[in-house]
Amino acid sequence: MFTIRRAHERGHAQHGWLDSWHLFSFAEYYDPRWMGWGNLRVINEDRIDPGTGFGRHGHRDMEIVSYVLEGALTHADSMGNTTTIVPGQIQRMTAGTGVLHSEHNANRQGQTHFLQIWIEPAAQQLPPGYAQRDTGLEAARGQLKLLAAPASRNLPEVMPLHADAAIHAGLLDGADTAELVLAEGRKAAVFVARGSLQVNGQQLHTGDTAFLADETRIQLDGARAAEVLVFDLAA
């Protein structure tokens, strides 16, 4: 199975200070056909105006990943963490039994453009937790790089997830090619954050997503200034 959801087909919310595109049903946007894919529940592409952001609010029983494309995102939570995330970094918050946090545009000029990603955890009622890593994508241009993987794999340079999921990302252009082999029974999603490329021979552009099931591999080529995220997911 190979399905493409184009950027303009996503749900859209415009709140003045926030411009948000929802890949799956979220908040006031509801479409029963798009409730998630495997254990991937949310990919929101958000743009936050300077001096604004999400006030203190709560989450529980979800792995929440933030991936900044432009600007800077200030995060503060009830675990005592106060950090700023910039392009080239990835953040994970384990909501578990419950956590409060806020997120704001840390710049006085220019929007903060980031992806908010929710993945269903492998277990409920986990202790809340926080982690942040550099992606190292600039140094790994032209290939897919593993950014996050199940904590059980004990990979010290990779963001640990309390979920049966892995996140790869890549900066691809021109003659660059990359391939990811999928284990039997897995689902996958390929989100194009910037630029364009081909996924198993199908053309995708900025904001498009390819959904795969019962496929053995993902082949990426034909890229033009592409930044891409690839999710290897439990079915």
Side-chain angles (χ1 to χ4, degrees), residues 22-205:
H22 308 318
L23 183 60
F24 304 116
S25 295
F26 186 88
E28 296 178 2
Y29 168 64
Y30 175 72
D31 185 333
R33 300 170 299 172
W34 297 102
M35 298 300 296
W37 182 246
N39 53 350
L40 178 62
R41 180 60 187 84
V42 168
I43 300 182
N44 288 347
E45 183 178 5
D46 292 339
R47 291 175 172 84
I48 306 173
D49 283 347
T52 68
F54 301 94
R56 195 170 173 88
H57 61 282
H59 296 283
R60 79 174 51 241
D61 290 327
M62 195 67 67
E63 293 289 274
I64 300 174
V65 175
S66 296
Y67 182 97
V68 177
L69 294 163
E70 294 178 286
L73 186 70
T74 293
H75 163 98
D77 62 45
S78 54
M79 295 175 283
N81 299 297
T82 300
T83 60
T84 298
I85 312 141
V86 297
Q89 297 179 325
I90 187 171
Q91 174 206 78
R92 185 223 75 226
M93 186 175 71
T94 297
T97 55
V99 65
L100 298 172
H101 81 137
S102 62
E103 295 169 298
H104 290 85
N105 184 341
N107 292 332
R108 294 187 177 182
Q109 294 184 338
Q111 290 182 326
T112 289
H113 179 196
F114 78 107
L115 303 177
Q116 180 182 171
I117 300 159
W118 294 10
I119 301 173
E120 295 173 357
Q124 302 290 296
Q125 297 291 295
L126 293 169
Y130 179 88
Q132 185 173 334
R133 296 280 193 282
D134 291 337
T135 64
L137 286 183
E138 276 295 335
R141 278 185 172 270
Q143 57 187 297
L144 278 181
K145 190 173 190 295
L146 180 62
L147 302 187
S152 59
R153 293 175 61 180
N154 294 316
L155 301 173
E157 301 303 317
V158 174
M159 178 78 73
L161 293 176
H162 299 99
D164 184 7
I167 304 173
H168 299 75
L171 303 174
L172 307 175
D173 193 30
D176 294 338
T177 64
E179 182 179 88
L180 181 66
V181 176
L182 300 172
E184 184 177 355
R186 304 291 289 179
K187 287 187 173 181
V190 181
F191 177 80
V192 182
R194 276 194 265 251
S196 64
L197 48 63
Q198 289 187 356
V199 180
N200 290 6
Q202 299 294 313
Q203 189 72 40
L204 272 71
H205 301 278

